[in-house]
Coordinates of all heavy atoms in Angstrom, one line a residue:
N1 N -5.3 -16.0 17.9 CA -5.2 -16.4 19.3 C -5.6 -17.9 19.5 O -6.0 -18.3 20.4 CB -6.0 -15.6 20.3 CG -5.5 -14.1 20.5 OD1 -4.3 -14.0 20.2 ND2 -6.3 -13.3 21.0
T2 N -5.2 -18.7 18.5 CA -5.5 -20.0 18.5 C -4.4 -20.8 19.3 O -3.2 -20.6 19.0 CB -5.5 -20.6 17.0 OG1 -6.4 -19.9 16.3 CG2 -5.8 -22.2 17.0
P3 N -4.8 -21.6 20.3 CA -3.8 -22.3 21.0 C -3.0 -23.2 20.1 O -3.4 -23.7 19.2 CB -4.6 -23.2 22.0 CG -5.9 -22.4 22.1 CD -6.1 -21.8 20.8
G4 N -1.6 -23.2 20.4 CA -0.7 -23.9 19.5 C -0.1 -23.2 18.4 O 0.8 -23.6 17.8
R5 N -0.7 -21.9 18.1 CA -0.1 -21.2 17.1 C 1.0 -20.1 17.6 O 1.4 -19.3 16.9 CB -1.2 -20.4 16.3 CG -1.9 -21.3 15.5 CD -2.7 -20.6 14.4 NE -1.9 -20.1 13.3 CZ -1.4 -20.8 12.3 NH1 -1.5 -22.1 12.3 NH2 -0.8 -20.3 11.3
G6 N 1.1 -20.2 19.0 CA 2.2 -19.3 19.6 C 1.7 -18.1 20.2 O 2.4 -17.3 20.8
C7 N 0.4 -17.7 19.9 CA 0.0 -16.4 20.4 C -0.8 -16.5 21.8 O -1.2 -15.6 22.3 CB -1.0 -15.8 19.5 SG -0.2 -15.2 18.0
H8 N -0.9 -17.7 22.3 CA -1.7 -17.9 23.5 C -1.4 -19.1 24.3 O -2.2 -19.8 24.8 CB -3.2 -17.9 23.2 CG -4.1 -17.7 24.3 ND1 -4.1 -16.5 25.0 CD2 -4.9 -18.5 25.0 CE1 -4.9 -16.6 26.0 NE2 -5.5 -17.7 26.0
R9 N 0.0 -19.4 24.4 CA 0.3 -20.6 25.2 C 0.6 -20.2 26.6 O 1.3 -19.1 26.8 CB 1.6 -21.2 24.7 CG 1.4 -22.0 23.3 CD 2.6 -22.4 22.8 NE 3.4 -21.3 22.4 CZ 4.5 -21.3 21.7 NH1 5.1 -22.4 21.3 NH2 5.1 -20.2 21.4
A10 N 0.3 -20.9 27.6 CA 0.6 -20.6 29.0 C 1.4 -21.7 29.6 O 1.2 -22.9 29.2 CB -0.7 -20.4 29.8
E11 N 2.3 -21.4 30.4 CA 3.2 -22.3 31.0 C 3.5 -21.9 32.5 O 3.6 -20.7 32.7 CB 4.5 -22.5 30.2 CG 5.2 -21.2 30.0 CD 6.3 -21.3 29.0 OE1 6.0 -21.2 27.8 OE2 7.5 -21.5 29.4
A12 N 3.6 -22.8 33.4 CA 4.0 -22.5 34.8 C 5.5 -22.4 34.9 O 6.2 -23.3 34.4 CB 3.5 -23.5 35.7
V13 N 6.0 -21.3 35.4 CA 7.3 -21.0 35.6 C 7.6 -20.6 37.0 O 6.9 -19.6 37.4 CB 7.9 -20.0 34.5 CG1 9.3 -19.6 34.8 CG2 7.6 -20.4 33.1
P14 N 8.5 -21.0 37.7 CA 8.8 -20.6 39.1 C 9.4 -19.2 39.0 O 10.2 -18.9 38.2 CB 9.9 -21.6 39.6 CG 10.5 -22.2 38.5 CD 9.4 -22.2 37.3
K15 N 8.9 -18.4 40.0 CA 9.4 -17.0 40.1 C 9.8 -16.8 41.6 O 9.0 -16.9 42.5 CB 8.3 -16.0 39.7 CG 8.7 -14.6 39.8 CD 7.6 -13.7 39.4 CE 8.0 -12.2 39.4 NZ 6.9 -11.3 39.0
H16 N 11.1 -16.5 41.7 CA 11.6 -16.3 43.1 C 11.1 -14.9 43.6 O 11.2 -13.9 42.9 CB 13.1 -16.3 43.0 CG 13.7 -17.6 42.6 ND1 13.7 -18.7 43.4 CD2 14.1 -18.1 41.4 CE1 14.1 -19.8 42.7 NE2 14.3 -19.4 41.5
T17 N 10.7 -14.9 44.9 CA 10.3 -13.6 45.4 C 11.4 -13.1 46.3 O 12.1 -13.8 46.9 CB 9.0 -13.8 46.3 OG1 9.4 -14.7 47.4 CG2 7.8 -14.4 45.5
S18 N 11.6 -11.7 46.2 CA 12.5 -11.1 47.1 C 12.1 -10.7 48.4 O 12.7 -10.1 49.2 CB 13.1 -9.9 46.4 OG 12.1 -9.0 46.0
Q19 N 10.7 -11.0 48.7 CA 10.1 -10.5 49.9 C 10.4 -11.5 51.1 O 10.1 -11.1 52.2 CB 8.7 -10.3 49.7 CG 8.3 -9.3 48.7 CD 6.8 -9.4 48.4 OE1 6.1 -10.4 48.6 NE2 6.3 -8.3 47.8
T20 N 10.9 -12.7 50.8 CA 11.1 -13.6 51.9 C 12.5 -14.2 51.8 O 13.2 -14.1 50.7 CB 10.1 -14.8 51.7 OG1 10.5 -15.7 52.7 CG2 10.3 -15.5 50.3
R21 N 13.1 -14.6 52.9 CA 14.5 -15.1 52.9 C 14.5 -16.6 52.8 O 15.6 -17.1 53.0 CB 15.2 -14.5 54.2 CG 15.4 -13.1 54.2 CD 16.0 -12.6 55.4 NE 16.0 -11.1 55.4 CZ 17.1 -10.4 55.6 NH1 18.2 -11.0 55.9 NH2 17.0 -9.2 55.6
T22 N 13.4 -17.2 52.6 CA 13.4 -18.6 52.5 C 13.8 -19.0 51.0 O 13.7 -18.2 50.1 CB 12.0 -19.3 52.8 OG1 11.1 -18.8 51.9 CG2 11.7 -18.8 54.2
S23 N 13.9 -20.2 50.7 CA 14.3 -20.7 49.4 C 12.9 -21.0 48.6 O 13.0 -21.6 47.5 CB 15.2 -21.9 49.4 OG 14.5 -23.0 50.1
A24 N 11.8 -20.8 49.2 CA 10.5 -21.1 48.6 C 10.3 -20.2 47.3 O 10.7 -19.1 47.3 CB 9.4 -20.9 49.6
C25 N 9.7 -20.8 46.4 CA 9.3 -20.0 45.1 C 7.8 -20.1 44.9 O 7.3 -21.1 45.3 CB 10.1 -20.7 43.9 SG 11.8 -20.5 43.9
R26 N 7.3 -19.1 44.3 CA 5.9 -19.2 43.9 C 5.8 -19.3 42.5 O 6.7 -18.9 41.7 CB 5.1 -18.0 44.4 CG 5.5 -16.7 43.8 CD 4.7 -15.5 44.4 NE 5.2 -14.3 44.0 CZ 4.9 -13.6 42.9 NH1 4.0 -14.1 42.1 NH2 5.4 -12.4 42.6
S27 N 4.7 -20.0 42.0 CA 4.6 -20.3 40.5 C 3.8 -19.1 39.9 O 2.8 -18.6 40.4 CB 3.8 -21.5 40.4 OG 3.7 -21.8 39.0
T28 N 4.3 -18.6 38.8 CA 3.7 -17.5 38.0 C 3.3 -18.1 36.7 O 4.1 -18.7 36.0 CB 4.6 -16.3 37.9 OG1 5.0 -15.8 39.2 CG2 3.9 -15.2 37.1
M29 N 2.1 -17.7 36.1 CA 1.7 -18.2 34.8 C 2.3 -17.2 33.8 O 1.9 -16.0 33.9 CB 0.2 -18.2 34.7 CG -0.4 -19.4 35.5 SD 0.2 -21.0 34.9 CE -0.6 -21.2 33.4
L30 N 3.0 -17.7 33.0 CA 3.6 -16.9 31.8 C 2.9 -17.3 30.6 O 2.5 -18.5 30.4 CB 5.1 -17.0 31.7 CG 5.9 -16.5 32.8 CD1 7.3 -16.7 32.5 CD2 5.6 -15.1 33.2
A31 N 2.6 -16.4 29.6 CA 1.8 -16.6 28.4 C 2.5 -16.0 27.2 O 3.1 -14.8 27.4 CB 0.4 -16.2 28.5
T32 N 2.7 -16.7 26.1 CA 3.2 -16.0 25.0 C 2.2 -15.3 24.2 O 1.1 -15.9 23.9 CB 4.0 -17.1 24.1 OG1 5.0 -17.7 24.8 CG2 4.5 -16.4 22.8
R33 N 2.2 -14.1 24.0 CA 1.2 -13.2 23.3 C 1.8 -12.5 22.1 O 3.0 -12.2 22.1 CB 0.6 -12.2 24.3 CG 0.0 -12.8 25.5 CD -1.4 -13.4 25.3 NE -1.9 -14.2 26.3 CZ -2.5 -13.8 27.4 NH1 -2.8 -12.6 27.5 NH2 -2.9 -14.7 28.2
C34 N 0.9 -12.2 21.2 CA 1.4 -11.3 20.0 C 0.4 -10.2 19.9 O -0.7 -10.3 20.2 CB 1.5 -12.2 18.7 SG 0.0 -13.0 18.2
A35 N 1.0 -9.1 19.4 CA 0.2 -7.9 19.2 C 0.5 -7.3 17.8 O 1.7 -7.4 17.3 CB 0.6 -6.8 20.3
L36 N -0.5 -6.9 17.1 CA -0.4 -6.3 15.8 C -0.7 -4.9 15.9 O -1.7 -4.5 16.5 CB -1.2 -7.0 14.8 CG -0.9 -8.4 14.5 CD1 -2.0 -9.1 13.6 CD2 0.4 -8.6 13.8
D37 N -0.1 -4.0 15.1 CA -0.4 -2.6 14.9 C -0.5 -2.4 13.4 O 0.5 -2.5 12.7 CB 0.7 -1.7 15.4 CG 0.5 -0.2 15.2 OD1 -0.6 0.1 14.6 OD2 1.3 0.6 15.7
I38 N -1.8 -2.4 13.0 CA -2.0 -2.3 11.5 C -2.1 -0.8 11.1 O -3.1 -0.2 11.4 CB -3.3 -3.0 11.2 CG1 -3.4 -4.4 11.7 CG2 -3.5 -3.0 9.6 CD1 -2.3 -5.3 11.3
G39 N -1.0 -0.3 10.7 CA -0.9 1.1 10.4 C -1.1 1.4 8.9 O -0.9 0.5 8.1
S40 N -1.3 2.7 8.6 CA -1.5 3.1 7.2 C -0.1 3.1 6.4 O -0.1 3.2 5.2 CB -2.2 4.4 7.1 OG -1.4 5.4 7.7
G41 N 1.0 3.2 7.2 CA 2.3 3.3 6.5 C 3.2 2.0 6.8 O 4.0 1.7 5.9
Q42 N 2.8 1.3 7.8 CA 3.6 0.1 8.1 C 2.8 -0.8 9.2 O 1.9 -0.2 9.9 CB 5.0 0.4 8.7 CG 5.0 1.2 9.9 CD 6.4 1.6 10.3 OE1 7.4 1.0 9.8 NE2 6.6 2.6 11.1
H43 N 3.0 -2.0 9.1 CA 2.4 -3.0 10.0 C 3.5 -3.4 11.0 O 4.6 -3.7 10.5 CB 1.8 -4.1 9.3 CG 0.6 -3.9 8.4 ND1 -0.1 -2.7 8.4 CD2 0.1 -4.6 7.4 CE1 -1.0 -2.7 7.5 NE2 -0.9 -3.9 6.8
K44 N 3.1 -3.5 12.2 CA 4.2 -3.9 13.3 C 3.7 -5.1 13.9 O 2.5 -5.3 14.2 CB 4.4 -2.8 14.3 CG 4.9 -1.5 13.7 CD 4.8 -0.5 14.7 CE 5.2 0.9 14.0 NZ 5.1 2.0 14.9
L45 N 4.6 -6.0 14.4 CA 4.3 -7.2 15.1 C 5.2 -7.3 16.3 O 6.4 -7.0 16.3 CB 4.6 -8.4 14.2 CG 4.7 -9.8 15.0 CD1 3.3 -10.3 15.4 CD2 5.4 -10.8 14.1
L46 N 4.7 -7.6 17.5 CA 5.5 -7.9 18.7 C 5.0 -9.2 19.3 O 3.8 -9.4 19.5 CB 5.3 -6.8 19.7 CG 6.0 -7.0 21.1 CD1 7.5 -7.1 20.9 CD2 5.6 -5.9 22.1
I47 N 5.9 -10.1 19.5 CA 5.7 -11.4 20.2 C 6.4 -11.3 21.5 O 7.7 -11.0 21.5 CB 6.1 -12.6 19.4 CG1 5.4 -12.6 18.1 CG2 5.8 -13.8 20.1 CD1 5.9 -13.6 17.1
A48 N 5.7 -11.6 22.6 CA 6.4 -11.4 23.9 C 5.9 -12.4 24.9 O 4.7 -12.9 24.7 CB 6.2 -10.1 24.5
V49 N 6.7 -12.7 25.9 CA 6.2 -13.6 27.0 C 5.8 -12.6 28.1 O 6.5 -11.7 28.5 CB 7.3 -14.4 27.6 CG1 6.9 -15.2 28.8 CG2 7.8 -15.4 26.6
V50 N 4.6 -12.8 28.5 CA 4.0 -11.8 29.6 C 3.5 -12.5 30.8 O 3.3 -13.8 30.8 CB 2.7 -11.0 29.0 CG1 3.2 -10.2 27.8 CG2 1.6 -12.0 28.6
D51 N 3.5 -11.8 31.9 CA 2.9 -12.3 33.1 C 1.4 -12.3 33.0 O 0.8 -11.2 32.8 CB 3.4 -11.4 34.3 CG 2.8 -11.9 35.7 OD1 1.6 -12.2 35.7 OD2 3.6 -11.9 36.6
A52 N 0.8 -13.4 32.9 CA -0.6 -13.4 32.7 C -1.5 -12.7 33.6 O -2.5 -12.2 33.3 CB -1.1 -14.9 32.5
A53 N -1.1 -12.6 34.9 CA -1.9 -12.0 35.9 C -1.8 -10.4 35.8 O -2.9 -9.8 35.9 CB -1.4 -12.3 37.3
S54 N -0.6 -9.9 35.5 CA -0.5 -8.5 35.5 C -0.5 -7.9 34.1 O -0.7 -6.7 33.8 CB 0.8 -8.0 36.2 OG 2.0 -8.5 35.4
G55 N -0.1 -8.7 33.1 CA -0.1 -8.3 31.7 C 1.3 -7.7 31.4 O 1.5 -7.1 30.3
T56 N 2.3 -7.7 32.3 CA 3.5 -7.1 32.2 C 4.4 -8.0 31.2 O 4.5 -9.2 31.4 CB 4.3 -7.1 33.5 OG1 3.4 -6.3 34.5 CG2 5.6 -6.3 33.5
I57 N 5.1 -7.4 30.4 CA 6.0 -8.0 29.5 C 7.3 -8.5 30.3 O 7.9 -7.6 30.9 CB 6.4 -7.2 28.3 CG1 5.3 -6.8 27.4 CG2 7.5 -7.8 27.5 CD1 5.6 -5.9 26.3
V58 N 7.5 -9.8 30.2 CA 8.6 -10.4 30.8 C 9.8 -10.4 29.9 O 11.0 -10.1 30.2 CB 8.2 -11.7 31.3 CG1 9.5 -12.5 31.9 CG2 7.2 -11.8 32.4
R59 N 9.5 -10.7 28.6 CA 10.7 -10.9 27.6 C 10.1 -10.7 26.3 O 9.1 -11.3 25.9 CB 11.3 -12.3 27.8 CG 12.4 -12.5 26.8 CD 13.1 -13.9 27.0 NE 12.1 -15.0 27.1 CZ 11.9 -15.8 26.1 NH1 12.4 -15.5 24.9 NH2 11.0 -16.8 26.3
K60 N 10.7 -9.9 25.5 CA 10.3 -9.8 24.0 C 11.0 -10.9 23.2 O 12.2 -11.1 23.4 CB 10.8 -8.4 23.5 CG 10.0 -7.2 24.1 CD 10.5 -5.9 23.6 CE 9.7 -4.7 24.2 NZ 10.2 -3.4 23.8
V61 N 10.1 -11.6 22.5 CA 10.6 -12.7 21.8 C 11.0 -12.2 20.4 O 12.0 -12.7 19.8 CB 9.6 -13.9 21.7 CG1 10.0 -15.0 20.9 CG2 9.2 -14.3 23.2
H62 N 10.1 -11.5 19.7 CA 10.3 -11.0 18.4 C 9.5 -9.8 18.1 O 8.4 -9.6 18.6 CB 9.9 -12.2 17.4 CG 10.1 -11.7 15.9 ND1 11.3 -11.9 15.3 CD2 9.3 -11.3 15.0 CE1 11.2 -11.5 14.0 NE2 10.0 -11.1 13.9
G63 N 10.1 -8.9 17.3 CA 9.4 -7.6 17.0 C 10.0 -7.2 15.6 O 11.1 -7.4 15.3
E64 N 9.0 -6.8 14.8 CA 9.4 -6.3 13.5 C 8.3 -5.4 12.9 O 7.2 -5.4 13.3 CB 9.7 -7.4 12.5 CG 8.6 -8.2 11.9 CD 9.2 -9.2 10.8 OE1 9.6 -10.3 11.4 OE2 9.0 -8.9 9.7
Q65 N 8.8 -4.6 11.9 CA 7.8 -3.7 11.2 C 8.1 -3.8 9.7 O 9.3 -4.0 9.3 CB 7.9 -2.3 11.7 CG 9.2 -1.7 11.6 CD 9.3 -0.3 12.4 OE1 8.3 0.0 13.1 NE2 10.4 0.4 12.2
R66 N 7.0 -3.7 9.0 CA 7.2 -3.7 7.5 C 6.4 -2.6 6.8 O 5.2 -2.5 7.3 CB 6.8 -5.1 6.9 CG 7.6 -6.3 7.4 CD 7.4 -7.5 6.7 NE 8.1 -8.6 7.2 CZ 8.0 -9.8 6.8 NH1 7.3 -10.1 5.7 NH2 8.7 -10.8 7.3
Q67 N 7.0 -2.0 5.9 CA 6.3 -0.9 5.2 C 5.2 -1.5 4.2 O 5.4 -2.4 3.6 CB 7.4 -0.2 4.4 CG 6.9 1.1 3.7 CD 8.0 1.9 3.0 OE1 9.0 1.3 2.6 NE2 7.9 3.1 3.0
V68 N 4.1 -0.7 4.3 CA 3.0 -1.2 3.4 C 2.4 0.1 2.5 O 1.8 -0.2 1.5 CB 1.8 -1.8 4.1 CG1 2.2 -3.1 4.7 CG2 1.3 -0.9 5.2
L69 N 2.5 1.3 3.0 CA 2.1 2.4 2.3 C 0.6 2.5 1.8 O 0.4 2.9 0.7 CB 3.0 2.7 1.1 CG 4.5 2.9 1.3 CD1 5.3 3.1 0.1 CD2 4.7 4.0 2.3
L70 N -0.3 2.1 2.8 CA -1.7 2.1 2.4 C -2.2 3.5 2.2 O -2.9 3.9 1.4 CB -2.5 1.4 3.6 CG -2.2 0.0 3.7 CD1 -3.1 -0.6 4.9 CD2 -2.5 -0.9 2.5
N71 N -1.7 4.5 3.2 CA -2.2 5.9 3.0 C -1.7 6.4 1.7 O -2.5 7.2 1.1 CB -1.6 6.7 4.2 CG -2.2 8.1 4.2 OD1 -3.4 8.2 4.1 ND2 -1.3 9.1 4.3
H72 N -0.5 6.2 1.3 CA 0.0 6.7 0.0 C -0.8 6.2 -1.2 O -1.2 7.0 -2.0 CB 1.5 6.2 -0.2 CG 2.1 6.6 -1.5 ND1 2.5 7.9 -1.7 CD2 2.4 6.0 -2.6 CE1 2.9 7.9 -3.0 NE2 2.8 6.7 -3.4
D73 N -1.2 4.9 -1.0 CA -2.1 4.5 -2.2 C -3.4 5.1 -2.1 O -4.0 5.4 -3.2 CB -2.2 2.9 -2.0 CG -3.1 2.2 -3.1 OD1 -2.5 2.1 -4.2 OD2 -4.2 1.9 -2.8
L74 N -4.1 5.3 -0.9 CA -5.3 5.9 -0.8 C -5.3 7.4 -1.4 O -6.2 7.8 -2.0 CB -5.8 5.9 0.6 CG -7.3 6.2 0.9 CD1 -8.2 5.2 0.1 CD2 -7.6 6.1 2.4
V75 N -4.2 8.1 -1.0 CA -4.1 9.5 -1.5 C -4.0 9.6 -3.0 O -4.6 10.3 -3.7 CB -2.9 10.2 -0.8 CG1 -2.5 11.5 -1.6 CG2 -3.1 10.4 0.6
Q76 N -3.2 8.6 -3.6 CA -3.1 8.5 -5.1 C -4.4 8.3 -5.7 O -4.8 8.8 -6.7 CB -2.0 7.5 -5.5 CG -0.6 8.0 -5.3 CD 0.4 7.0 -6.0 OE1 0.1 5.8 -5.9 NE2 1.4 7.5 -6.6
N77 N -5.2 7.3 -5.1 CA -6.4 6.9 -5.7 C -7.4 8.1 -5.6 O -8.3 8.3 -6.5 CB -7.0 5.7 -5.0 CG -6.2 4.5 -5.4 OD1 -5.5 4.5 -6.4 ND2 -6.4 3.4 -4.7
A78 N -7.4 8.9 -4.5 CA -8.3 9.9 -4.3 C -8.0 11.0 -5.3 O -9.0 11.6 -5.8 CB -8.2 10.6 -2.9
A79 N -6.7 11.2 -5.7 CA -6.5 12.2 -6.7 C -7.0 11.8 -8.0 O -7.3 12.6 -8.9 CB -4.9 12.4 -6.8
A80 N -7.2 10.5 -8.3 CA -7.7 10.1 -9.5 C -9.3 9.8 -9.4 O -9.9 9.3 -10.3 CB -7.0 8.7 -9.8
G81 N -9.9 10.2 -8.3 CA -11.3 10.1 -8.1 C -11.8 8.8 -7.5 O -13.0 8.6 -7.5
R82 N -10.9 8.0 -7.0 CA -11.4 6.7 -6.4 C -11.1 6.8 -4.8 O -10.1 7.3 -4.5 CB -10.6 5.6 -7.0 CG -10.8 5.4 -8.5 CD -10.0 4.2 -9.0 NE -8.6 4.1 -8.7 CZ -7.6 4.6 -9.5 NH1 -7.9 5.3 -10.6 NH2 -6.4 4.6 -9.1
S83 N -12.1 6.3 -4.1 CA -12.0 6.4 -2.7 C -11.8 5.0 -2.0 O -12.4 4.7 -0.9 CB -13.3 7.1 -2.1 OG -14.4 6.3 -2.3
E84 N -10.9 4.2 -2.6 CA -10.7 2.9 -2.0 C -9.2 2.5 -2.3 O -8.6 3.1 -3.1 CB -11.7 1.8 -2.6 CG -11.5 1.7 -4.2 CD -12.6 0.9 -4.7 OE1 -13.6 0.7 -4.1 OE2 -12.4 0.4 -5.7
L85 N -8.8 1.5 -1.5 CA -7.4 1.0 -1.7 C -7.4 0.2 -3.0 O -8.3 -0.5 -3.4 CB -7.0 0.2 -0.6 CG -6.8 0.9 0.8 CD1 -6.7 0.0 1.9 CD2 -5.6 1.8 0.7
S86 N -6.2 0.2 -3.7 CA -6.0 -0.6 -4.9 C -5.8 -2.1 -4.4 O -5.5 -2.4 -3.3 CB -4.8 -0.1 -5.6 OG -3.6 -0.5 -4.9
E87 N -6.1 -3.0 -5.4 CA -5.8 -4.4 -5.2 C -4.4 -4.7 -4.8 O -4.1 -5.6 -4.0 CB -6.3 -5.3 -6.3 CG -7.8 -5.3 -6.5 CD -8.6 -6.0 -5.3 OE1 -8.0 -7.0 -4.8 OE2 -9.6 -5.5 -5.0
A88 N -3.5 -4.0 -5.4 CA -2.1 -4.2 -5.1 C -1.7 -3.8 -3.8 O -0.9 -4.5 -3.1 CB -1.2 -3.4 -6.1
A89 N -2.3 -2.7 -3.2 CA -2.1 -2.3 -1.9 C -2.7 -3.3 -0.8 O -2.0 -3.6 0.1 CB -2.6 -0.9 -1.6
L90 N -3.8 -3.7 -1.1 CA -4.5 -4.7 -0.3 C -3.7 -6.1 -0.3 O -3.4 -6.7 0.7 CB -5.9 -5.1 -0.7 CG -6.9 -3.9 -0.4 CD1 -8.2 -4.1 -1.1 CD2 -7.0 -3.7 1.0
A91 N -3.2 -6.5 -1.4 CA -2.4 -7.7 -1.6 C -1.0 -7.6 -0.7 O -0.6 -8.5 -0.1 CB -2.1 -8.0 -3.0
A92 N -0.5 -6.4 -0.8 CA 0.8 -6.1 -0.1 C 0.5 -6.2 1.4 O 1.3 -6.9 2.2 CB 1.4 -4.8 -0.4
S93 N -0.5 -5.6 1.9 CA -0.9 -5.7 3.3 C -1.2 -7.2 3.8 O -0.8 -7.6 4.7 CB -2.2 -4.8 3.6 OG -2.6 -4.9 4.8
R94 N -1.9 -7.9 2.9 CA -2.3 -9.2 3.2 C -1.0 -10.1 3.3 O -0.9 -11.0 4.2 CB -3.2 -9.8 2.1 CG -3.9 -11.1 2.4 CD -4.9 -11.5 1.3 NE -5.9 -10.5 1.2 CZ -6.1 -9.8 0.1 NH1 -5.4 -10.0 -1.0 NH2 -7.1 -9.0 0.0
A95 N 0.0 -9.9 2.4 CA 1.2 -10.6 2.3 C 2.0 -10.4 3.7 O 2.5 -11.3 4.2 CB 2.0 -10.2 1.2
V96 N 2.0 -9.1 4.2 CA 2.7 -8.8 5.4 C 2.0 -9.5 6.5 O 2.7 -10.2 7.4 CB 2.8 -7.3 5.6 CG1 3.2 -7.0 7.1 CG2 3.7 -6.6 4.6
L97 N 0.7 -9.5 6.6 CA 0.0 -10.2 7.7 C 0.2 -11.7 7.7 O 0.3 -12.3 8.7 CB -1.5 -9.8 7.6 CG -1.8 -8.2 7.9 CD1 -3.3 -8.0 7.7 CD2 -1.3 -7.9 9.3
E98 N 0.2 -12.3 6.4 CA 0.5 -13.7 6.4 C 1.9 -14.1 6.9 O 2.1 -15.1 7.5 CB 0.3 -14.1 4.9 CG -1.2 -14.2 4.5 CD -2.0 -15.2 5.3 OE1 -1.5 -16.3 5.6 OE2 -3.2 -15.0 5.5
A99 N 2.9 -13.2 6.5 CA 4.2 -13.4 7.0 C 4.3 -13.3 8.5 O 4.9 -14.1 9.2 CB 5.1 -12.4 6.4
F100 N 3.5 -12.3 9.2 CA 3.5 -12.3 10.5 C 2.8 -13.5 11.1 O 3.2 -14.0 12.2 CB 2.7 -11.0 11.0 CG 3.5 -9.7 10.8 CD1 2.9 -8.5 11.0 CD2 4.8 -9.7 10.5 CE1 3.5 -7.3 10.9 CE2 5.5 -8.5 10.3 CZ 4.8 -7.3 10.5
R101 N 1.7 -14.0 10.5 CA 1.0 -15.2 11.0 C 2.0 -16.3 11.1 O 1.9 -17.1 12.0 CB -0.2 -15.5 10.1 CG -1.0 -16.6 10.7 CD -2.1 -16.8 9.7 NE -3.0 -17.9 10.1 CZ -3.9 -18.5 9.5 NH1 -4.2 -18.0 8.3 NH2 -4.6 -19.5 9.9
A102 N 2.9 -16.5 10.1 CA 3.8 -17.6 10.1 C 4.7 -17.5 11.2 O 5.2 -18.5 11.6 CB 4.5 -17.6 8.7
L103 N 5.1 -16.3 11.7 CA 6.0 -16.2 12.8 C 5.3 -16.5 14.1 O 6.0 -16.9 15.0 CB 6.6 -14.7 12.8 CG 7.5 -14.3 11.6 CD1 7.7 -12.9 11.6 CD2 8.8 -15.1 11.7
A104 N 4.1 -16.1 14.2 CA 3.4 -16.4 15.5 C 3.0 -17.8 15.6 O 2.8 -18.3 16.7 CB 2.1 -15.5 15.5

C-alpha cells in the first residue's frame, strides 16, 4: 500500500447525482486498491477503482490468478515425513507475488 505503487492512489472525480434536476455535480473520492488472495492452490490478484467512502468497486482494472500448488507440495512432504513447504514451492509462490507486485 505504498503511495505511487498503484495500490493506494486517490483522485477527485465528479459524480453526477440522479437525486437532483440541476446540473450540479458532487465530488467523490476514488482510490485504486489491490487485493490479494494467497491460497494453497493458487494466488489471486484484483486491482480496482473503489469509492473511498463506501468501499464499493467502481471499476475492475485487472484481475488474475496463478497456480502455485502449495497444498500439493505440503501433502507430498508430509508423506515423506516433512511438515514444511519445499524451497521450490516457496520460490514459486514468491515469484507469483513478485509478478503481482510489478502489476500493482
Side-chain angles (χ1 to χ4, degrees):
N1 288 345
T2 305
R5 289 199 73 76
C7 290
H8 195 68
R9 287 178 294 193
E11 55 192 86
V13 177
K15 181 177 181 182
H16 299 281
T17 61
S18 59
Q19 298 171 342
T20 178
R21 293 180 184 231
T22 67
S23 61
C25 292
R26 63 181 171 88
S27 182
T28 299
M29 289 300 287
L30 298 181
T32 301
R33 302 281 166 88
C34 60
L36 295 171
D37 178 357
I38 309 301
S40 62
Q42 57 188 345
H43 296 342
K44 299 174 188 171
L45 167 74
L46 174 63
I47 301 171
V49 175
V50 299
D51 179 316
S54 68
T56 305
I57 294 175
V58 175
R59 179 175 52 93
K60 292 181 182 178
V61 176
H62 181 80
E64 74 177 82
Q65 57 189 12
R66 295 192 187 181
Q67 189 174 28
V68 289
L69 300 179
L70 297 178
N71 187 53
H72 177 74
D73 184 71
L74 196 57
V75 169
Q76 279 189 324
N77 288 345
R82 297 184 308 271
S83 61
E84 58 189 25
L85 292 167
S86 68
E87 287 300 320
L90 290 172
S93 177
R94 193 175 300 113
V96 169
L97 294 175
E98 287 295 328
F100 285 172
R101 182 180 182 188
L103 293 170

